[in-house]
Amino acid sequence: MFQYDYLIIGAGLFGSMFAYKAKLAGKRVLVIDKRPHVGGNLYCENIEGINVHKYGAHIFHTSNKDVWSFVNSIVEFNRYTNSPVANYKGKLYNLPFNMNTFYQMWGVKTPNEALMKINEQRNSAIEKMRGEGISTPRNLEEQALSLIGNDIYEKLIKGYTEKQWGRSCTDLPAFIIKRLPVRLVFDNNYFNDKYQGIPIGGYNIFIKNLLYKVDVNLNTDFFSNRIYWENMAEKIVFTGKIDEFYNYCFGKLEYRTVCFEEEIHDCTNYQGNAVINYTDKSVPYTRIIEHKHFEMFGLEVDACPKTVISKEYSMEWKEGMEPYYPVNDERNSRLYQQYKALASQEKNVIFGGRLAEYQYYDMHQIVEKILTFNL
């Protein structure tokens, strides 16, 4: 007789959501996590009265009304709208690419003028490729040039992308940029989704409410005593690295990771926006996050006497670092398929989340997946 119905390895969003649903269904659930806190990469630390996103900015967005209603039933979300700004060599551009961006880039004032400029640059790039015998973009650079042209690619895409992936755009696959959103309106709202926001009081409250009355063991590494933990429950929900679960029998998958340089400033407002991307490759970090803007608006910003920023540095993952993003190339895709084939044979193990499925997920996708999951 097992002590629990489910052992959930990892107290991030997937694990916490699964625990919530299983507990609601009357199942006996134990969650373990090797970190000293729950929430995975959603974890926030309160510094100077500000909820600091310790593992990078997380902005919830969805067009699924059921998903939005569900997360708001756990904790009320605020009205935060993601409107990042790009800094290229000291000049600022609004994101995503919209009429504000095109005015800042070229001085154009009407949608027709903007479209003419974009098409002029796109067609020039396409003609150049055709002259070189290239009919289909072979890499990210050619794909981006054929979609948006030279100016926006060089100033707002190239440097940022190469910092993010640690590779030249000519060495990255074209499918990473399937399309580039172009808005011929003055609209700086980054997401197209109908709903977006941040939990009021931060993500810690959201996770805490999901795990209410669920047994949780922190500072607990599944692999340090694997046999013991495998005999704890009838089924296992695994949210860690799938290659580690199988002892790297086919080889190690690769990841990108992010390191953060945190600073406290004695001012009420450092940059005037939550997210500013630095798209010039000579700047070593990819972006600066000013955390107070996620939850403080208007006069609230000035009422808090200090501010906290995080500079983000993207780099190759090494042992001991936190794996963030799967590397989308042929070698890793082929390797993951081998691990996936092994996983498909498991009867009592459920693999879920970005590490276990070697796939990037937005938060709403995880929530929707668990809400529709049959226990």
Side-chain angles (χ1 to χ4, degrees):
M1 180 66 178
F2 292 103
Q3 188 174 344
Y4 293 95
D5 297 306
Y6 288 100
L7 169 68
I8 300 172
I9 301 158
L13 182 58
F14 190 100
S16 299
M17 277 292 304
F18 198 102
Y20 175 86
K21 182 162 185 175
K23 185 75 175 180
L24 209 61
K27 304 295 184 181
R28 298 165 301 160
V29 181
L30 172 64
V31 177
I32 65 173
D33 198 296
K34 63 184 180 181
R35 292 179 180 177
H37 59 74
V38 296
N41 286 0
L42 291 181
Y43 175 71
C44 296
E45 180 183 353
N46 191 283
I47 301 173
E48 300 291 343
I50 299 162
N51 288 316
V52 174
H53 297 214
K54 296 295 286 186
Y55 301 92
H58 286 81
I59 301 141
F60 197 93
H61 58 96
T62 182
S63 288
N64 186 320
K65 189 175 181 179
D66 291 337
V67 167
W68 186 244
S69 295
F70 170 78
V71 296
N72 275 272
S73 74
I74 302 300
V75 62
E76 186 180 356
F77 278 60
N78 69 20
R79 62 166 184 82
Y80 175 78
T81 300
N82 190 29
S83 302
V85 172
N87 182 316
Y88 178 75
K89 295 186 176 181
K91 187 168 182 180
L92 302 180
Y93 300 88
N94 289 107
L95 298 174
F97 309 138
N98 69 82
M99 285 300 300
N100 288 308
T101 322
F102 307 140
Y103 174 74
Q104 293 151 351
M105 184 71 66
W106 301 308
V108 296
K109 298 177 182 178
T110 68
N112 187 54
E113 289 174 336
L115 200 55
M116 286 177 62
K117 191 69 177 178
I118 292 168
N119 286 335
E120 174 191 319
Q121 295 212 347
R122 287 181 64 247
N123 292 337
S124 176
I126 292 168
E127 285 302 314
K128 183 181 178 183
M129 283 188 276
R130 284 176 180 166
E132 296 171 357
I134 304 165
S135 57
T136 303
R138 301 166 299 178
N139 52 54
L140 187 147
E141 178 166 291
E142 292 173 357
Q143 176 78 337
L145 287 170
S146 67
L147 289 171
I148 203 69
N150 183 74
D151 289 351
I152 288 178
Y153 170 70
E154 288 289 339
K155 293 182 179 180
L156 303 183
I157 297 174
K158 179 177 168 64
Y160 186 87
T161 303
E162 291 184 346
K163 287 190 290 186
Q164 194 173 35
W165 291 100
R167 293 159 175 78
S168 168
C169 286
T170 56
D171 294 328
L172 291 168
F175 70 77
I176 290 180
I177 295 184
K178 295 178 181 177
R179 56 182 291 274
L180 286 170
V182 171
R183 296 180 183 165
L184 297 176
V185 291
F186 292 89
D187 180 7
N188 300 324
N189 181 358
Y190 191 79
F191 298 121
N192 290 319
D193 288 314
K194 186 174 181 180
Y195 311 105
Q196 65 181 297
I198 306 284
I200 294 176
Y203 281 100
N204 291 2
I205 296 175
F206 179 63
I207 295 296
K208 181 182 177 182
N209 290 347
L210 286 176
L211 294 175
Y212 181 65
K213 290 190 175 180
V214 172
D215 291 344
V216 178
N217 286 1
L218 298 175
N219 298 302
T220 302
D221 187 353
F222 168 75
F223 294 105
S224 67
N225 200 352
R226 181 167 181 164
I227 294 174
Y228 170 80
W229 291 113
E230 285 181 332
N231 289 315
M232 185 67 67
E234 184 177 350
K235 290 187 177 182
I236 290 173
V237 178
F238 184 76
T239 71
K241 296 186 296 173
I242 190 171
D243 53 348
E244 185 177 16
F245 186 87
Y246 288 109
N247 200 28
Y248 309 106
C249 62
F250 299 124
K252 292 187 177 183
L253 291 163
E254 295 175 296
Y255 302 88
R256 294 292 292 173
T257 191
V258 184
C259 291
F260 304 93
E261 188 178 284
E262 213 169 84
E263 299 174 1
I264 300 172
H265 287 266
D266 287 315
C267 64
T268 60
N269 196 345
Y270 180 83
Q271 64 184 18
N273 203 49
V275 182
I276 295 186
N277 294 349
Y278 284 78
T279 58
D280 178 10
K281 197 174 181 182
S282 67
V283 178
Y285 42 86
T286 55
R287 61 182 184 173
I288 295 179
I289 305 300
E290 187 172 8
H291 299 269
K292 72 190 313 182
H293 294 293
F294 291 128
E295 297 184 62
M296 298 180 189
F297 312 105
L299 297 176
E300 294 173 323
V301 173
D302 293 330
C304 183
K306 294 189 178 183
T307 193
V308 183
I309 67 165
S310 296
K311 295 177 180 176
E312 297 189 7
Y313 298 81
S314 181
M315 57 190 66
E316 293 292 327
W317 175 82
K318 295 178 182 178
E319 289 292 341
M321 293 180 171
E322 193 64 39
Y324 273 75
Y325 308 112
V327 176
N328 294 305
D329 62 16
E330 187 177 336
R331 182 255 178 197
N332 285 288
S333 297
R334 185 173 61 249
L335 189 57
Y336 169 65
Q337 289 304 318
Q338 292 179 275
Y339 285 117
K340 185 179 180 182
L342 277 184
S344 67
Q345 300 170 27
E346 301 280 358
K347 293 182 180 179
N348 296 315
V349 183
I350 298 163
F351 294 86
R354 60 189 173 84
L355 301 182
E357 298 179 73
Y358 201 66
Q359 177 180 338
Y360 180 79
Y361 280 110
D362 283 324
M363 289 181 286
H364 69 279
Q365 294 171 313
I366 294 292
V367 173
E368 185 172 359
K369 191 168 188 174
I370 301 299
L371 288 179
T372 57
F373 187 88
N374 292 318
L375 292 176

